[in-house]
């Protein structure tokens, strides 16, 4: 099954203790699309300005992302400026310039409206809802968001969450949205608004997933070199949704496997600025990392202690 994604396509300027990326290709939909493209066909709905050149499109085209819904509008492409300290789990936003996104009304091309899997990557929740209004009978809808939208549009966000199956947010955002410090209680509050599954991203500490009666946890992959964590959450979502779309069915087992694919893709995203962490990565590399991940988390059945 293919995936329809709406989200930001951006120029990011990012400083970490290990370097700087200036106006590199980023944005939630970009990171998601590159990651999910390893598993399935991705159709992208977004807007860029007239400063977006053919060279900026190249990484997306190289991953065979369908840009049939990428509109070029007069004005400037979305820009985000962020900085990380040694705690790479905390992104400090220094500047957000919506540019052409401020006046964007997404239009899902008619042939894409029956796409079975929809990912609403981080962007204005009203634009995420506009896309949902146009699709017909999707089998799985997931959404991501961030503190910027929790601060500026909390009511729109809550209305959107009532319409999605899965929500992915980081731990600080889950607490901020619910005003509940305990993650278990915060996740149940969010589930009471609509989504049957809440994926809490915890940076290098991995993910905590609340679905059905219980919870499921995965660590982050232990990496020696992390250059830039920007986009790790979107790459996680790309692996997770890409695997589910490829598997074609959503069950408790496939959800758990999808998490491992998500974690593996997130581990590539952090290896470079922009989408460079994915340069030269093959399907076989990802499969090997998924296997390493399975070994990392495997616990042999306990012998009974008499
Ligand atoms: P992540 O690190 O996975 O949470 O997402 C990082 C990406 O989100 C960056 O490439 C930014 O361009 C993008 N981004 C930052 N702020 C916003 C925002 N307010 N709305 C949409 N996308 C954003």
């Amino acid at each position: 099954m293919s995936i329809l994604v709406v989200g930001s396509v951006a120029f990011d300027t990012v400083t970490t203790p290990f370097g700087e990326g200036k106006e590199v290709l980023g944005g939630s939909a970009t990171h998601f699309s590159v990651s999910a493209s390893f598993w399935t066909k991705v159709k992208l709905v977004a807007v860029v300005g007239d400063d977006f050149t053919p060279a900026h499109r190249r990484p997306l085209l190289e991953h065979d992302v369908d840009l049939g819904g990428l509109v070029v509008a007069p004005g400037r492409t979305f820009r985000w400026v962020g900085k990380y300290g040694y705690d790479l789990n905390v992104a400090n936003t220094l500047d957000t310039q919506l540019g052409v996104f401020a006046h964007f009304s997404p239009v899902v091309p008619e042939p894409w409206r029956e796409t079975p899997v929809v990912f609403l990557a981080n962007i204005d929740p009203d634009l995420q809802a506009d896309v949902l209004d146009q699709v017909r009978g999707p089998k799985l809808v997931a959404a991501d968001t961030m503190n910027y939208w929790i601060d500026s549009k909390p009511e729109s966000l809550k209305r959107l969450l009532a319409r999605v199956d899965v929500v992915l947010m980081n731990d600080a955002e889950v607490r901020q949205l619910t005003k509940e410090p305990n993650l278990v209680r915060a996740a149940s509050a969010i589930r009471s608004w609509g989504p049957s599954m809440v994926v809490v991203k915890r940076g290098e500490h991995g993910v905590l997933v609340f679905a059905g009666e219980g919870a499921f946890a995965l660590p982050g992959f232990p990496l020696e070199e992390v250059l830039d964590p920007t986009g790790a959450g979107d790459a996680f979502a790309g692996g997770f949704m890409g695997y589910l779309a490829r598997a074609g069915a959503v069950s408790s087992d496939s959800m758990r496997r999808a998490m491992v694919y998500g974690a593996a893709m997130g581990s590539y995203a952090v290896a470079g600025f922009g989408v460079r962490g994915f340069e030269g990565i093959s399907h076989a590399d990802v499969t090997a990392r998924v296997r390493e991940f399975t070994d990392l988390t495997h616990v042999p059945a306990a012998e009974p202690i008499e």
Side-chain angles (χ1 to χ4, degrees):
M1 291 193 280
S2 57
I3 301 184
L4 175 71
V5 57
V6 63
S8 55
V9 172
F11 294 145
D12 289 347
T13 296
V14 182
T15 312
T16 77
F18 317 108
E20 188 189 25
K22 250 192 163 53
E23 301 245 315
V24 294
L25 176 66
S28 56
T30 304
H31 292 290
F32 175 88
S33 300
V34 168
S35 168
S37 71
F38 278 75
W39 315 107
T40 192
K41 183 79 193 164
V42 181
K43 304 163 186 167
L44 174 70
V45 173
V47 64
V48 290
D50 42 26
D51 50 1
F52 200 81
T53 65
H56 294 120
R57 280 172 193 261
R58 201 169 305 131
L60 290 160
L61 293 174
E62 278 170 3
H63 282 89
D64 206 21
V65 175
D66 192 334
L67 302 182
L70 184 68
V71 173
V72 182
R76 277 161 64 84
T77 297
F78 183 102
R79 279 168 167 79
W80 180 71
V81 183
K83 187 172 178 151
Y84 299 82
Y86 281 106
D87 181 355
L88 293 171
N89 297 324
V90 183
N92 299 298
T93 294
L94 304 181
D95 192 20
T96 303
Q97 295 176 20
L98 295 180
V100 287
F101 258 107
H103 304 288
F104 179 52
S105 292
V107 176
V108 179
E110 183 55 41
W112 291 7
R113 293 190 178 195
E114 300 202 353
T115 309
V117 180
V118 178
F119 186 65
L120 308 169
N122 174 32
I123 195 61
D124 183 332
D126 290 327
L127 299 186
Q128 293 173 311
D130 281 350
V131 165
L132 261 195
D133 290 342
Q134 296 172 50
V135 293
R136 292 187 280 269
K139 287 197 168 68
L140 181 68
V141 178
D144 190 358
T145 191
M146 73 180 291
N147 50 6
Y148 186 91
W149 304 111
I150 298 171
D151 285 333
S152 58
K153 294 204 164 180
E155 293 313 317
S156 297
L157 184 57
K158 280 192 196 166
R159 275 196 301 278
L160 177 83
L161 293 185
R163 305 174 63 193
V164 311
D165 305 300
V166 181
V167 62
L168 301 98
M169 293 165 80
N170 76 32
D171 43 4
E173 290 154 1
V174 165
R175 293 186 170 110
Q176 183 190 356
L177 178 64
T178 57
K179 302 189 175 58
E180 167 58 65
N182 179 286
L183 281 182
V184 180
R185 282 204 292 262
S188 335
I190 294 179
R191 290 178 73 193
S192 75
W193 302 335
S196 57
M197 184 174 194
V198 177
V199 179
V200 184
K201 299 175 285 182
R202 303 173 69 223
E204 65 182 325
H205 306 300
V207 281
L208 196 52
V209 183
F210 297 90
E213 293 301 306
F216 171 61
L218 263 192
F221 193 78
L223 292 168
E224 244 175 66
E225 187 160 80
V226 175
L227 279 186
D228 171 20
T230 309
D234 306 306
F236 175 91
F240 172 68
M241 298 292 286
Y243 177 85
L244 287 178
R246 179 76 165 257
V250 178
S251 65
S252 160
D253 280 356
S254 66
M255 285 282 187
R256 287 182 178 223
R257 279 189 214 109
M259 290 291 156
V260 179
Y261 279 79
M265 300 314 277
S267 74
Y268 288 113
V270 301
F273 286 86
V275 289
R276 283 186 211 134
F278 284 105
E279 267 173 24
I281 300 301
S282 68
H283 225 267
D285 294 325
V286 182
T287 308
R289 182 149 295 177
V290 164
R291 205 167 305 121
E292 284 177 75
F293 223 103
T294 315
D295 290 345
L296 173 75
T297 52
H298 176 70
V299 181
E303 298 285 335
I305 299 172
E306 300 297 333

